[in-house]
Amino acid sequence: MTVSRSVELAGHIIDSGTLQSCFGVIMDMGGSFEVEEFDIGRSKTEKSYARLVVSADTDDDLQTIIHELHQNGATPIDPRDATVEPAPADQVVPPGFYSTTNHPTDIRIEGEWLAVDRIEMDCAVVVERNGNGQPARARAKVLNAIEEGDLVVTGESGIRVRPPERPRERSGAFGFMQGGVSSERPSESTIEKIAEAITQTKAEDGSILAVCGPALIHSGAREDLARLVRKGYIDMLSAGNGFAVHDIERDLYGTSLGMNTETLDHPRRGHKHHIYALSEVIRAGSIENAVEDDLITSGVMYECVANDVPFVLAGSIRDDGPLPDTITDTIEAQNAIREQAHEADMVLMLSTLLHSVAVGNCLPSTTRVVCVDINPATVTQLLDRGSAQAVGMVTDIGTFIPMLADTILDSQ
Amino acid sequence: MTVSRSVELAGHIIDSGTLQSCFGVIMDMGGSFEVEEFDIGRSKTEKSYARLVVSADTDDDLQTIIHELHQNGATPIDPRDATVEPAPADQVVPPGFYSTTNHPTDIRIEGEWLAVDRIEMDCAVVVERNGNGQPARARAKVLNAIEEGDLVVTGESGIRVRPPERPRERSGAFGFMQGGVSSERPSESTIEKIAEAITQTKAEDGSILAVCGPALIHSGAREDLARLVRKGYIDMLSAGNGFAVHDIERDLYGTSLGMNTETLDHPRRGHKHHIYALSEVIRAGSIENAVEDDLITSGVMYECVANDVPFVLAGSIRDDGPLPDTITDTIEAQNAIREQAHEADMVLMLSTLLHSVAVGNCLPSTTRVVCVDINPATVTQLLDRGSAQAVGMVTDIGTFIPMLADTILDSQ
Amino acid sequence: MTVSRSVELAGHIIDSGTLQSCFGVIMDMGGSFEVEEFDIGRSKTEKSYARLVVSADTDDDLQTIIHELHQNGATPIDPRDATVEPAPADQVVPPGFYSTTNHPTDIRIEGEWLAVDRIEMDCAVVVERNGNGQPARARAKVLNAIEEGDLVVTGESGIRVRPPERPRERSGAFGFMQGGVSSERPSESTIEKIAEAITQTKAEDGSILAVCGPALIHSGAREDLARLVRKGYIDMLSAGNGFAVHDIERDLYGTSLGMNTETLDHPRRGHKHHIYALSEVIRAGSIENAVEDDLITSGVMYECVANDVPFVLAGSIRDDGPLPDTITDTIEAQNAIREQAHEADMVLMLSTLLHSVAVGNCLPSTTRVVCVDINPATVTQLLDRGSAQAVGMVTDIGTFIPMLADTILDSQ
Amino acid sequence: MTVSRSVELAGHIIDSGTLQSCFGVIMDMGGSFEVEEFDIGRSKTEKSYARLVVSADTDDDLQTIIHELHQNGATPIDPRDATVEPAPADQVVPPGFYSTTNHPTDIRIEGEWLAVDRIEMDCAVVVERNGNGQPARARAKVLNAIEEGDLVVTGESGIRVRPPERPRERSGAFGFMQGGVSSERPSESTIEKIAEAITQTKAEDGSILAVCGPALIHSGAREDLARLVRKGYIDMLSAGNGFAVHDIERDLYGTSLGMNTETLDHPRRGHKHHIYALSEVIRAGSIENAVEDDLITSGVMYECVANDVPFVLAGSIRDDGPLPDTITDTIEAQNAIREQAHEADMVLMLSTLLHSVAVGNCLPSTTRVVCVDINPATVTQLLDRGSAQAVGMVTDIGTFIPMLADTILDSQ
């Protein structure tokens, strides 16, 4: 027995690789196809159109292929509704639930396509109905946020994924952000491009999230990041307990990891400064209190408080202390990070793998991402998430931030 | 004005570098000294003795130097008591509190030296009194465990630190564990030495803690670690949510990170297997339930449950899920890790930086440590903590664990 | 003014990405196109055919686009001959010479397509004529081998490049060799696949070249590589002076880098053993002499001599010595390496960046490549050369070689 | 039977660790000792003196211990002459020849101590006599430079090694150069210190050697290094063929590795620019000719030619071309590098492992070394050679050189 179904593709389907992926999917999955209609764009401005009849040996196989074609941008001629099932208990999804990608996604409910709100990877899709029982919206929910009775999408029907097309022209302020990773790219020119992209994002009223690791402080880049916060180029900050402690250590004792960041000397007991800094803030009750008490008078955390830049300090098992501001529950911290991630138009990942992965997990594939680390493996891992506009730079955060700040602020 | 005080040193003070460090401390800190008496060990079996009169310009300077000499193994001729002050509130230490090293430490209270229990780095020392008001014991407490009224040691008097001497002879099963890190050491021979050290630790009724990262599963080492658990070579396990999820994914779907670990194929939707594995265990209620329900039938977590090997799964902000067994509060998780660390006689740090640092933070400098990672920077960072018996190996965990298991189990 | 020319494409042009690349080339380079004919393969077994009219503003632009389409697999309807010019002096190419890729390439001379012999990257193409003045063959020549009067291909006409299609089915012994690089792949399973590929290559009478770095010796893998040589699995060896010196040091003194590879002890003066080993072989006159004199009685170099496995030892500026067998002139050494590279059906790159790059520079894109190193950046760099069948493994050479030898030799 | 001999130590023998090392040597090597006299420096300005009677079971053992004590700074009370033997043939040393360290070394010949000229690691020591047969000088010679009849020092008698004492005070322009390697040090402050050290070296009329890898060009640092050459801060340059080719590619085509270093675009055929650049210089005959012909008009190589800064381009087996200026014989290249190394007062190792190792092999332990690379393993390997004044920085050469040039040149 052979079962068949028609799908269509439209747009720059050759140029963007869509047609090639779809052919690949069918062949990889043991199906076959006939091309019923093919209208190739006669020139570079015209779009193409193709209609394929896809065949497989069983209904299950066919549905699986059709689903995968969906995920690659093809649309069944006769789309079906998504199926939904209620969650049996809090945090428990129905068997066969649909797990999301980070690409823009639509769900077909009662013949209508609903865009899924707050899309991110590895979530369930929950359909909400309004007062009259009509489907009102679909949204992505992480497993631990599922509540008993939530209507969760299951199976593979009625789901449409739209992977972002990478723009052909590498132009505009963000054009270079399809460049991937390289440790052997001209550093100064790349920093200029990143500065332009930041300036352009702010010019478009976009929101910029800085995700920061403690190496930024140790390498002496603190004052220049503080300048960028003060001048309004950073709208939100995401970091860990250690970042804030070392930033404050520098303010209170002039050291980072116990080394004087200017003279490079190691004052006696310098390796205890971070624990003293911690105990000072604990005594004050919070970073904000410590700023108000004039205990903390400079640095990144100071500028965040002084300029109403909201920050999330997420706890980890390697923390000393922690600071009173640190969110020690990881689910609560993830939720705070999730809010930041969905609000951001551009994310700067600065020398932290753990926090960058946490933010990256919550990002739609359409958010702009700049990732900077001295370890090429970190940069590669962070960029490898299908973002349409992302750039990685393997460099020293201690020279990167000063040069970036100079480039942005001197061009004002 | 010049103030002076005498200190004495005894033992293999030249051979172990103690005398050299003490001379260095005095000169670095601006003091001066006279050698009043010096009895050099006439041969390699005799001990030496030295008495120095240390001088400085002010009482404060002198006290500071004396404290630092203490930390390096010298003893004042006329020791003073430690000072203690009550903690003003929960989690708040008195100003000037003494922050610990990870070396064995004694506190002098009412003329008696009390050994500090559960020593670890960056803690406060709390003196507890028994019913009749006598000092009963001193113990290290992390800042967040301090309770209002705890008697906290402050200042630098009456504190004695005993850095472990590295044994001169590199012999016995643990002799090679002073070898530091090398990526260019003979791999098979090093693995044989580690196997011997593990066997010896078990022969001495020691307790072995394995700290595991998910790379162990991805690289295919799962079955061999499971064998070691089953055969009783692992007494405790410390890991993150991801380790357990991927271990269970392998059991349920035959994949890790979506790749079939035997055929190296990528089954369709393989990249969703980890989220499916998660949802299965959430539905079962716990890993133990899932084992009892015959859902999970093999692997590291299975063997831990089957052989009553206690495990701690600590949460992190990059977790999916998490599993019901994962401790999401980082302070609670640290406390669980701390219990493991203090119980362990030997710690195997296997391909995880985050969890190894968390465990390492709680370890006294006398615990044996083996650290294995493919990234030399990780190994270097983990070994750089003053442990007297520690060895690092830069290798592939996916070949290391199988070879280690074969070596240990074949030699039985 | 607009000038136009027709090109055609045939084969699995969608599936293999050819059509997509060609569209991209035209648009990137400012040209335009009309699709005159398009016959899509109606099913996965049928081939497709497309004919495009390509237009540009100037003759030069058009020729440039046509050339680039060539490089991507399109063929002009009315191909022209390649142009050739004599080299004005030894090592000097005519201006505008054509510089090769490492893909199979044809040159059109007097209406006939000649395959270019010994293709490799960044060479000139020289056309040789036979006695009667007819073009007899075309071959790739590195710049330093060009002789005055050589007929060198210039410009971009009459050149056809055939990039290897990556086989769709990842099956057979070599199927896994399209897997790229991963440090998180199951190690044992990957080693089994590599063992199969080696066995299969030998079963097909293929020739295997091992390119070896000194880390192989330091990490204790020497005896197992020697076994593979002895058993006939290695047909040629390419290495540097240091590899041979350390291999011989191990034979003469039991050490590598001065460390006893079994006990892990450092015998006194061990760090001088490599220089003593060198002086012993210099005194003997050659490695072969030293084997015949029973000075060298085991190891990789010993087995090469004993089993008539030819080796090339290329000199470098960091060499001690060097050994009498080491080729100190780098051009002469490159020529020796080039012979090995062109003879090899499979290349094992084992823990050496310098020698692997040197071999890789000479390889056609059709040769099978296995690259093993503990540094992910090295593996990535080596695989990034367009080979159609290549696999990289980030692992410890000291565990890899023993496991590989066991897998190959135990399965006999 | 026990044999004994007296040795003495004088100076800051405790503070510098000398006494500790000597005790260790004796015990490690199975000897015993008595302390006959011990005068400890009573204060930090006084020197100490110790006389030991060292005993061992056999004459051979004793001599071996005495030699090792020598190497660690002790002096036998009754020193003996060094033994010398003639080399039996060119490049062949007598059995038992003494192989050098890179520390200042003296040889005792006929009762006189001769300092060994041009000391470097792993050499033989050759004694030259003047016309009247008197020993005139001792010099280090690499094995391949030994000539038949050279009087080569053998055995271990009559050799005195003076490891450089690391200065206690980390002050002066070079004080920070005992800081070892760190990737987490303040970048800007470290660059300022390096700039000071360079300025100070020039102020002392010292000679600065820059050892450069091609990453310097790819990362866009070329113009700033050229500035430093032009302004007289670089006295010699050591590099490979690739460095010069890419520097010239940038001048001729505006690209590096085919990427426009300013716009970050990849012009068509950009990946062929390096081979075109090569062929242009080959046609001109040399870099100097190409500068004189106005073919090359900017960049590092241009400034070297224009400012009479001598350069050595050493060949390697991975070279394209090579350039006519490249020394293709590795022994000849080593000799040229050796001349540079011995003339240099300060060496900047900039993003090249191969060339830095080659230079480092020839350096006495007293030369100042700055090593910069983005790979921490490279920096660690290069600094691990016992230099008394050396600093490593893990950073991006593409931001380091511009910041360094600004710091040096703006402070003029």
Side-chain angles (χ1 to χ4, degrees), chain A residues 242-281:
Chain A
F243 174 82
V245 171
H246 288 290
D247 176 58
I248 294 167
E249 173 192 338
R250 176 70 182 80
D251 188 53
L252 299 186
Y253 305 102
T255 55
S256 174
L257 277 185
M259 176 191 267
N260 185 303
T261 50
E262 276 170 25
T263 64
L264 308 189
D265 288 333
H266 288 84
R268 203 179 76 83
R269 279 195 293 184
H271 61 289
K272 288 299 178 191
H273 286 169
H274 72 282
I275 203 89
Y276 297 161
L278 256 168
S279 75
E280 292 298 316
V281 180

Side-chain angles (χ1 to χ4, degrees), chain B residues 186-187 189 218-219 261 395-396 399, chain C residues 186-187 189 218-219 261 395-396 399:
Chain B
S187 307
S189 305
H218 305 323
S219 65
T261 50
T395 189
D396 176 359
T399 53
Chain C
S187 306
S189 305
H218 305 322
S219 65
T261 51
T395 189
D396 175 359
T399 53

Side-chain angles (χ1 to χ4, degrees), chain C residues 5-184:
Chain C
R5 198 156 160 212
S6 293
V7 299
E8 58 187 9
L9 295 97
H12 292 111
I13 57 178
I14 294 177
D15 190 35
S16 67
T18 306
L19 189 61
Q20 180 185 354
S21 318
C22 288
F23 283 16
V25 162
I26 300 170
M27 289 189 268
D28 282 352
M29 297 174 66
S32 62
F33 63 91
E34 290 274 322
V35 179
E36 280 199 328
E37 194 180 332
F38 194 88
D39 258 326
I40 201 165
R42 300 279 139 185
S43 68
K44 73 175 167 184
T45 53
E46 275 181 55
K47 297 193 172 181
S48 300
Y49 173 86
R51 192 170 63 247
L52 316 181
V53 182
V54 181
S55 305
D57 289 343
T58 69
D59 262 337
D60 272 6
D61 287 359
L62 183 60
Q63 186 174 339
T64 298
I65 295 174
I66 296 296
H67 171 74
E68 200 69 19
L69 291 173
H70 259 198
Q71 302 268 30
N72 283 277
T75 315
I77 302 291
D78 54 339
R80 299 170 193 180
D81 267 13
T83 54
V84 295
E85 276 184 62
D90 282 4
Q91 302 189 18
V92 182
V93 288
F97 75 103
Y98 172 75
S99 171
T100 55
T101 68
N102 63 354
H103 301 309
T105 299
D106 305 311
I107 299 296
R108 194 169 183 277
I109 301 288
E110 296 169 20
E112 299 291 317
W113 287 104
L114 291 178
V116 177
D117 284 357
R118 295 175 66 89
I119 191 71
E120 64 178 81
M121 213 177 295
D122 292 338
C123 286
V125 176
V126 170
V127 177
E128 296 173 2
R129 294 178 179 276
N130 59 16
N132 53 21
Q134 296 301 305
R137 75 175 189 138
R139 57 173 296 195
K141 265 193 174 182
V142 286
L143 294 198
N144 67 54
I146 294 292
E147 292 170 41
E148 185 178 334
D150 272 356
L151 292 175
V152 176
V153 173
T154 58
E156 306 190 324
S157 292
I159 299 160
R160 190 166 65 189
V161 172
R162 288 168 283 129
E165 284 190 15
R166 286 171 196 271
R168 162 159 300 279
E169 315 276 336
R170 294 185 45 180
S171 62
F174 308 111
F176 82 106
M177 294 176 73
Q178 297 146 44
V181 187
S182 173
S183 53
E184 295 206 329

